[in-house]
Amino acid sequence: MPTTITAVPVLRTVEDALEVANDVASSVAEGAVRREIDGELPTDALTQIGSSGLLGILVPKAFGGPDLPRSTAVEVLRILARADSAVGQLLLAHYVVSAAIRGLQYDEPAPRIYRDVLNGAQLGNATVERGTRTSVERTTTVTRQSDGDWVLEGTKFYATGSLGATWIAVAARISGTDHGATVFVRPGDPGVILNLDHWSSFGQRGTASGEVVLDEVHVAADLVIDEGPDPDPLSAEPSVLGAFDQALHTAIDVGTARAALEDGADFVASRTRPWFEAHVERAADESHVIRRFGELTAKLYALEALLAHGSRLVDGALAAPEVTRDAAAAASLQVAAAKALAQEYAVEIASGIFELSGASATDAKYALDRHWRNLRVHTLHDPARWKYVHLGRHTLDGTLPPRLGLLL
């Protein structure tokens, strides 16, 4: 079981959080190529991040945390994904769960989990399953026992963030009811089996987003959150948790795209030979190369601006006395646009650098292909086509998007 880190600083301001994120990212980036080539998991990077205070930035003030804006977590994740996209994705669930449990007020397990987070604990997720008709269906069950505690049974896949986690938030169904539940378990608990090496994707290899088996896991009553029936997407209470989740996903894509563009530009400027017809000393002086890098840069700027604006809308919705339907919809639509365009532009950027850098850039020792592979895999997280549907409906007739939790 991962050990909880002690003497972790509390980063009280946005400036402090971003400064620390940039410092940590510099260290994380140094080993990114080596980890990719050697197949090494970023466990040391996760330990460093845990001791930095970055994991506690969303903890409410009532629990001793700084309660920084959601946009700060989005920017932190973008910075870390720029250094290593796997590290960014490994921490996405942490920030989503940190935000999700604040609605519990002082009910367990929130106080216990927030205390651990302030001490450097990482939160992971075990939500999606294989073999179901759709990705949102759950066959994992949690059953109440006669003594008031529970037993958890099921198998999860795409359990990103379980690597390095102190707590794993498991999505389940309460046996005999139509209620969903979030159940908190620890990797060392009896019956919790992590098969994280069952991850064979061609990208995001360092996330170890493999399998979590839950074999008759006995869970204390205060670690099971009864979420009630699935909310009606037309009448559910307004929320920006889904928009926040999607902004974090977008931050991974945007941060990785910037890394791809910068690495590609560095390669072209220092290694790529100019084409003989250009009559220039460097490939970086070819007019066609300059123009194409300009096009890719403009698309990256657009993504970064859309993401920042969407994150600010999430902050604004939460800053009001209550989250309104219009404010939640505005944040969701803006973030949806950023996420959908990232599936196009980020992948184009990571692929486009090879058009300009030449065949030598495909040498495995440079691992430049990791950016495209990582983006191609991560951008498949949810389909852009449905985001465009919601955006189009809103533009055509003012239809607000459905309230689908983490899907938009």
Side-chain angles (χ1 to χ4, degrees):
M1 181 191 304
T3 56
T4 300
I5 304 163
T6 58
V8 175
V10 177
L11 305 175
R12 296 289 179 186
T13 69
V14 172
E15 293 75 19
D16 286 345
L18 298 184
E19 180 180 357
V20 169
N22 279 298
D23 288 345
V24 170
S26 295
S27 175
V28 170
E30 289 178 0
V33 172
R34 186 196 73 250
R35 288 192 293 270
E36 181 68 25
I37 293 173
D38 295 343
E40 179 185 336
L41 296 177
T43 50
D44 289 344
L46 293 176
T47 299
Q48 182 182 4
I49 292 166
S51 64
S52 72
L54 288 172
L55 298 183
I57 60 176
L58 295 186
V59 174
K61 291 180 180 178
F63 298 103
D67 200 10
L68 297 183
R70 300 289 197 279
S71 59
T72 306
V74 172
E75 179 62 5
V76 165
L77 213 65
R78 188 195 68 81
I79 292 168
L80 294 175
R82 180 182 177 186
D84 186 327
S85 62
V87 171
Q89 190 177 352
L90 278 163
L91 299 178
L92 185 147
H94 173 88
Y95 289 119
V96 175
V97 175
S98 293
I101 63 173
R102 69 179 295 131
L104 299 174
Q105 298 299 324
Y106 298 98
D107 297 332
E108 291 289 357
R112 185 187 322 183
I113 291 173
Y114 280 141
R115 283 194 299 270
D116 285 352
V117 167
L118 286 176
N119 285 322
Q122 177 189 321
L123 310 179
N125 100 99
T127 301
V128 180
E129 302 170 11
R130 284 180 160 174
T132 57
R133 187 180 67 87
T134 68
S135 62
V136 298
E137 295 175 48
R138 309 285 178 258
T139 62
T140 297
T141 60
V142 60
T143 305
R144 188 186 291 273
Q145 306 299 291
S146 58
D147 62 1
D149 288 342
W150 300 76
V151 171
L152 181 65
E153 286 273 3
T155 300
K156 298 290 187 177
F157 206 77
Y158 306 113
T160 313
S162 295
L163 176 70
T166 298
W167 291 97
I168 301 174
V170 180
R173 291 285 175 187
I174 297 178
S175 297
T177 76
D178 61 352
H179 289 205
T182 296
V183 184
F184 284 90
V185 300
R186 287 166 290 227
D189 290 344
V192 177
I193 304 166
L194 304 186
N195 296 320
L196 302 183
D197 58 346
H198 289 191
W199 179 242
S200 57
S201 173
F202 65 70
Q204 293 297 81
R205 295 168 177 171
T207 64
S209 299
E211 180 183 74
V212 175
V213 177
L214 306 156
D215 183 14
E216 293 189 20
V217 181
H218 289 262
V219 184
D222 60 2
L223 295 176
V224 178
I225 302 171
D226 185 342
E227 299 172 346
D230 291 337
D232 183 338
L234 298 178
S235 61
E237 288 295 316
S239 170
V240 291
L241 183 61
F244 176 54
D245 170 87
Q246 289 289 283
L248 291 167
H249 276 290
T250 307
I252 295 168
D253 298 336
V254 174
T256 307
R258 175 159 284 282
L261 187 65
E262 292 175 342
D263 286 352
D266 179 69
F267 192 96
V268 169
S270 62
R271 295 180 180 274
T272 302
R273 293 183 294 181
W275 186 240
F276 69 94
E277 292 179 281
H279 303 294
V280 294
E281 292 299 315
R282 304 183 312 149
D285 294 326
E286 288 187 33
S287 58
H288 301 302
V289 172
I290 294 169
R291 174 182 171 82
R292 183 58 174 147
F293 265 104
E295 291 172 347
L296 297 178
T297 301
K299 291 181 177 183
L300 178 61
Y301 284 173
L303 292 179
E304 291 174 338
L306 276 171
L307 175 60
H309 182 50
S311 299
R312 288 194 296 270
L313 289 178
V314 171
D315 289 345
L318 291 170
E322 63 179 18
V323 177
T324 67
R325 182 76 175 96
D326 286 342
S332 292
L333 290 167
Q334 183 75 31
V335 171
K339 181 68 167 63
L341 285 176
Q343 292 191 24
E344 299 178 37
Y345 290 170
V347 172
E348 179 187 351
I349 290 167
S351 175
I353 63 172
F354 289 101
E355 304 167 17
L356 309 168
S357 55
S360 61
T362 65
D363 193 311
K365 67 184 179 183
Y366 302 120
L368 284 177
D369 63 310
R370 75 190 189 279
H371 299 307
W372 181 88
R373 289 186 290 98
N374 291 339
L375 280 164
R376 185 63 284 177
V377 168
H378 183 258
T379 53
L380 299 176
H381 178 269
D382 49 88
R385 62 185 182 271
W386 276 98
K387 299 185 188 308
Y388 287 130
V389 167
H390 295 311
L391 288 161
R393 284 174 174 167
H394 183 262
T395 297
L396 287 168
D397 55 26
T399 301
L400 298 182
R403 284 157 272 188
L404 293 174
L406 303 183
L407 296 183
L408 180 64

